[in-house]
Amino acid sequence: MSNDTQEHRLVILDTETTGINPREGHRIVEIGCVEMINRQLTGRTYHAYINPQFQMEQEVIDVHGLTNEFLRDKPLFADVAGAFIDFIKGAELVIHNAKFDVGFMDHEFNMARAQLPMTEDICTVTDTLKVSKDEFGSPKTLDFLARHYRVDGLIDRTYHGALIDAQLLAFVYVEMTRKQSTLNFSMGDGQENGEDSNAIKRLSSERQKLKVVHASADEEEQHKKRLALIADKGSEPIWQ
C-alpha cells in the first residue's frame, strides 16, 4: 500500500436533548464525539454538557440522567460552538438517525447568531439508521445493532449518554462496514501489485483443512421451527 494514501477522518457523533422537536423550543444538553482515522479509533474525543435554558420533564431526565440542576451551571451552546465546529469540520459524521441530531445542531447553529455554518457546509453525513434499513430491510435501533454485532457488552449504558452512545456506535459502525472495508482493501492490494482484482485466486491443495462445526440438536430444532414459521406465512424456504 502506498504511504501517500489519504487519511479518511470519521467523527462518530451523538447528542442528548431536552425533547424531540427543536421547533418547540427543545435544545441540546450534551454532545459526544469520537474520532476515527481509517476506521481506527484514535482516542480523541469531544464532549460537552450544555445549559439548555429549558426546563426538562422527568421522563426525559430518566432517559439520559441529566438533571436540570446538573446542567444549570454548564456553558451555553454559543460558548462551546467554536470548539465543537473545529472538531467536526471536514470530517464525515457518522450518526444514528442523523435527521434528528443534524436538525438540532443546525437549530443551535442558527440560534447562536454568530454566522455559524450549517452542518452540511462543513461535513458530510452517514446515517447508520439508513444503512441498517439497507442491510436488514427495515430501520434498526442502536440497541438492536449493538446486540446483533455483539458489541453491546463493550459499553456500560445504564444511561444513554451522548459520548457513551457515540462510542458504542463506533463499534457498531466498524462491524457494520467490515465487509465493504475488506473488499476495498482487497481491491486496493490487487491493483497495487499490478494484479487483476477480479481474478480468481487459487488456493493451495496443501492448505490446512477448514474445521467443520456441526449444529447442535437445539440449533437444529430452532432451524426447523424457523422453516415452519416461513411456511406458515405462505413462503417456500429456499434452504432446508
Side-chain angles (χ1 to χ4, degrees), residues 73-103:
D73 63 350
K74 300 301 181 286
L76 304 181
F77 184 88
D79 298 327
V80 303
F84 175 48
I85 289 174
D86 286 345
F87 190 86
I88 66 173
K89 188 174 183 179
E92 175 186 350
L93 299 184
V94 177
I95 308 174
H96 198 72
N97 193 10
K99 183 178 180 180
F100 176 87
D101 297 88
V102 171

Side-chain angles (χ1 to χ4, degrees), residues 209-215:
K209 292 185 177 180
L210 296 175
K211 180 181 179 180
V212 178
V213 180
H214 296 282

Side-chain angles (χ1 to χ4, degrees), residues 153-207:
L154 299 179
I155 301 289
D156 179 8
R157 297 180 73 226
T158 303
Y159 290 108
H160 290 247
L163 186 59
I164 292 172
D165 282 2
Q167 291 169 334
L168 182 62
L169 181 57
F171 293 128
V172 166
Y173 178 80
V174 168
E175 296 302 320
M176 179 181 279
T177 60
R178 186 178 296 279
K179 290 182 181 178
Q180 184 62 44
S181 175
T182 302
L183 175 63
N184 291 341
F185 181 80
S186 298
M187 291 179 67
D189 252 6
Q191 292 167 349
E192 190 73 26
N193 296 325
E195 300 173 356
D196 180 0
S197 60
N198 295 317
I200 297 175
K201 295 179 173 58
R202 305 294 181 182
L203 298 178
S204 171
S205 60
E206 299 178 357
R207 71 186 186 281

Side-chain angles (χ1 to χ4, degrees), residues 12 66 71 102 140 147 161 172 187 191 195 208:
I12 319 300
L66 303 176
L71 295 171
V102 171
K140 300 300 180 184
R147 290 192 300 270
V172 166
M187 291 179 67
Q191 292 167 349
E195 300 173 356
Q208 184 178 1

Side-chain angles (χ1 to χ4, degrees), residues 2 6 14 22 72 94 100 109 127 134 144 164 173 191 210 221-222 227 233 240:
S2 171
Q6 186 175 3
D14 187 60
R72 190 164 290 131
V94 177
F100 176 87
F109 290 152
D127 189 349
D134 294 337
F144 173 92
I164 292 172
Y173 178 80
Q191 292 167 349
L210 296 175
E221 183 63 26
Q222 292 296 323
L227 294 178
K233 291 186 176 183
Q240 300 293 333

Side-chain angles (χ1 to χ4, degrees), residues 96 127-141 144-145 149 176:
H96 198 72
D127 189 349
T128 50
L129 187 68
K130 293 182 179 179
V131 176
S132 72
K133 182 179 180 180
D134 294 337
E135 181 74 16
F136 299 98
S138 62
K140 300 300 180 184
T141 65
F144 173 92
L145 295 173
Y149 292 113
M176 179 181 279

